[in-house]
Amino acid sequence: MKIAIERTSLVRALSRVRNAVETRTTMPVLSHVYMETAGDKLTLTGTDIDLWIDEECEGMEGKIEKEGTAIVKAQKLFDIARAMPEDSEISLELKDDQLVMQARRARFLLSSMSKEAFPKREKLRKLQDFRIAAKSLEKMLARTIFATSDDESRYYLNGVYLHSHEKEGGGKVFRAVSTDGHRLARIEQEVEGTDNLPGVILPRKAAQELRKLLEESESEVTVTLYQQEEEESDSNLDNTRATVMEFMFDNTRITSRLIDGSFPDYERVIPKETNKSMLFSSKEFSDHVAAVHLMTSETTHGVKFNLERNSLHISAQHGTDGEGNYPLEVEYDGEGLEVGYNALYLLDMTRDAIA
C-alpha cells in the first residue's frame, strides 16, 4: 500500500472510526484500525466485534499509487496524524510489515499486523430497510439514550428499543424507547417504510456513537436490518428475527449486533389518563433545577416540587449546608401537589429537549 492523503481528511476519518475500537481487550487486534485501498477509495474500519464503523476518506482521487491493506494501532495513528502540520499531506506506505508515515520532515514507523489477524465480518441476510433523515434519527436517540440502563444483569435494558407502534385511530409510527427501571423515555415519529418494523434493541454504545456522528450530517440515513446467515438453517429460530442493524450515511457505515432479548411491556407503566398537567419553558426549568441541585444530598440528589396554581416551587435541603428554593412560573390550573424527584434525572431529561 502506498498513498498520499490530506492530514485533515485522515484525522477526521480516524476520529470517527477509533470510537469503535476496544482498547482493553484480550484480542490486541481490536485496538487497531484496518486500512484498505481499492480503486480511488481508502476505507478505515474499527471494531470491537459487536460494533463496526467504516469510514471512507475524502479526496483520494489520484492519491493511491499502490493498493493494499495495513492494520495499525488506531489511537497511535490518530495521535501522530493530529501532530502533523495542519495543512500538510501525509504519505503512507507499507514496507516489511511497517507503515511508514511521512509529512514534510517528520517520519514515523508503525508496526502493522497481517490482514488475516483482523476479525472477519459475519455473513448476513437482508430482511428489510428504510430511510430516515439524519437529524430526525439523531433527535430520537438524543431523547432516549440517557434513560438506558448499565445494569448487565438486565441486559435487555442496555439499549434503545426501536419498533413500529400502532396509533389510536389507525396508522403506525416509528418509536424509540428506553428505561433503566427508574425512568422511561419515549419518542415517536412518522417514518415511511417502518410500518412493519420488528422490535429491536440497539446497544447503548452503538446508539451513542451513531448519535455523535449524526450530529454532523444533513443527509438521509439508510437503515437496514439483517440476520446472520447461519441462523437461517436452524428450524428452531424465527427467520424474521433481526440480529444486526446497519446505518449508512455520507461516507460512514455503522454496523451493530442487536441485543438478543425481550424489551418489557413499557405501555403498562405509562398512565392512560391524568388530571394534572403543567406547561413550562424547558430552559428555565433546567436552570432552576440545576441551581437548586447545588443544595441537594450528594447521594440522593433529591429536589422537592410544590405545585400550585401557575407556580412551581423547586426546593432542596442539605443537612449541614443549608437549603434552596427557586419558584418557576408555569401554566397549571389544578389541585396542589407535592412530590420529590432525583435532580439528575430531571436534568438529563431536559438537556436534549433544550438542544
Side-chain angles (χ1 to χ4, degrees):
M1 183 178 78
K2 186 176 182 180
I3 64 173
I5 183 171
E6 294 295 329
R7 179 252 187 201
T8 53
S9 179
L10 180 60
V11 169
R12 182 178 186 275
L14 285 169
S15 68
R16 298 162 78 87
V17 169
R18 72 190 180 100
N19 292 323
V21 305
E22 190 65 56
T23 54
R24 298 179 181 177
T25 175
T26 56
M27 295 178 60
V29 71
L30 296 184
S31 65
H32 289 55
V33 61
Y34 181 86
M35 310 174 68
E36 182 176 38
T37 57
D40 284 332
K41 294 182 179 180
L42 168 64
T43 303
L44 307 185
T45 300
T47 183
D48 64 1
I49 298 297
D50 292 325
L51 174 66
W52 295 70
I53 299 181
D54 301 283
E55 184 75 14
E56 184 181 315
C57 295
E58 298 178 338
M60 294 304 298
E61 294 80 4
K63 299 286 188 178
I64 299 175
E65 185 176 329
K66 183 180 179 182
E67 294 186 0
T69 61
I71 303 173
V72 297
K73 283 191 175 181
Q75 189 62 47
K76 191 70 69 177
L77 181 61
F78 176 68
D79 290 340
I80 295 173
R82 279 201 309 174
M84 297 295 185
E86 290 190 8
D87 59 345
S88 64
E89 184 176 74
I90 299 174
S91 169
L92 299 172
E93 182 177 7
L94 188 66
K95 290 183 177 180
D96 300 324
D97 295 329
Q98 286 188 316
L99 184 67
V100 182
M101 187 174 182
Q102 299 183 86
R104 297 179 184 171
R105 292 186 296 174
R107 186 174 185 270
F108 295 84
L109 299 178
L110 289 173
S111 297
S112 176
M113 302 182 75
S114 67
K115 181 178 180 179
E116 290 70 26
F118 204 75
K120 300 295 186 294
R121 293 181 185 270
E122 299 170 315
K123 293 183 178 180
L124 303 173
R125 180 172 67 93
K126 180 179 175 180
L127 297 179
Q128 66 181 97
D129 62 9
F130 63 92
R131 295 176 68 83
I132 181 173
K135 293 303 180 187
S136 296
L137 183 55
E138 191 273 330
K139 177 182 177 181
M140 295 184 77
L141 295 174
R143 300 287 176 86
T144 51
I145 288 174
F146 69 87
T148 57
S149 173
D150 57 5
D151 181 358
E152 295 300 329
S153 66
R154 296 193 293 175
Y155 63 93
Y156 48 85
L157 300 182
N158 297 162
V160 178
Y161 181 50
L162 304 171
H163 66 296
S164 172
H165 179 78
E166 187 156 359
K167 300 186 296 183
E168 293 183 12
K172 291 187 177 182
V173 290
F174 178 45
R175 271 190 178 178
V177 184
S178 64
T179 181
D180 59 5
H182 300 283
R183 51 190 170 165
L184 185 147
R186 187 194 76 187
I187 183 172
E188 62 186 31
Q189 295 189 38
E190 293 187 3
V191 179
E192 188 176 347
T194 62
D195 287 1
N196 299 311
L197 186 73
V200 297
I201 307 174
L202 182 67
R204 180 175 58 252
K205 179 180 177 179
Q208 289 172 334
E209 296 306 327
L210 175 60
R211 185 213 166 177
K212 285 190 291 188
L213 298 182
L214 287 173
E215 288 179 332
E216 304 174 15
S217 178
E218 297 290 341
S219 64
E220 274 198 324
V221 183
T222 299
V223 184
T224 308
L225 293 177
Y226 293 96
Q227 182 183 70
Q228 283 104 323
E229 276 193 357
E230 55 266 33
E231 292 194 3
E232 187 178 3
S233 60
D234 191 335
S235 59
N236 296 320
L237 294 174
D238 179 3
N239 287 335
T240 64
R241 181 171 62 85
T243 55
V244 173
M245 203 167 195
E246 179 186 83
F247 304 86
M248 292 189 67
F249 54 98
D250 302 327
N251 297 317
T252 305
R253 177 173 66 163
I254 298 179
T255 311
S256 173
R257 285 183 183 173
L258 298 169
I259 294 176
D260 184 10
S262 298
F263 200 79
D265 183 7
Y266 64 88
E267 291 281 358
R268 293 174 56 187
V269 302
I270 301 177
K272 301 299 180 184
E273 297 180 1
T274 178
N275 60 357
K276 293 180 174 61
S277 177
M278 69 173 175
L279 186 65
F280 54 83
S281 161
S282 292
K283 186 178 188 313
E284 288 184 3
F285 178 82
S286 182
D287 290 344
H288 284 52
V289 172
V292 174
H293 176 239
L294 297 173
M295 300 304 297
T296 64
S297 162
E298 290 82 359
T299 54
T300 64
H301 305 283
V303 294
K304 185 169 72 173
F305 283 6
N306 194 314
L307 181 60
E308 302 171 349
R309 181 184 175 86
N310 294 330
S311 179
L312 172 65
H313 288 264
I314 307 170
S315 62
Q317 186 168 4
H318 192 284
T320 57
D321 294 343
E323 61 183 55
N325 187 303
Y326 203 164
L328 174 69
E329 290 186 8
V330 299
E331 291 184 23
Y332 179 72
D333 190 21
E335 297 180 0
L337 175 68
E338 190 173 292
V339 64
Y341 290 104
N342 183 318
L344 296 181
Y345 288 176
L346 298 173
L347 293 172
D348 283 342
M349 178 183 70
T350 55
R351 182 180 297 113
D352 288 300
I354 296 170

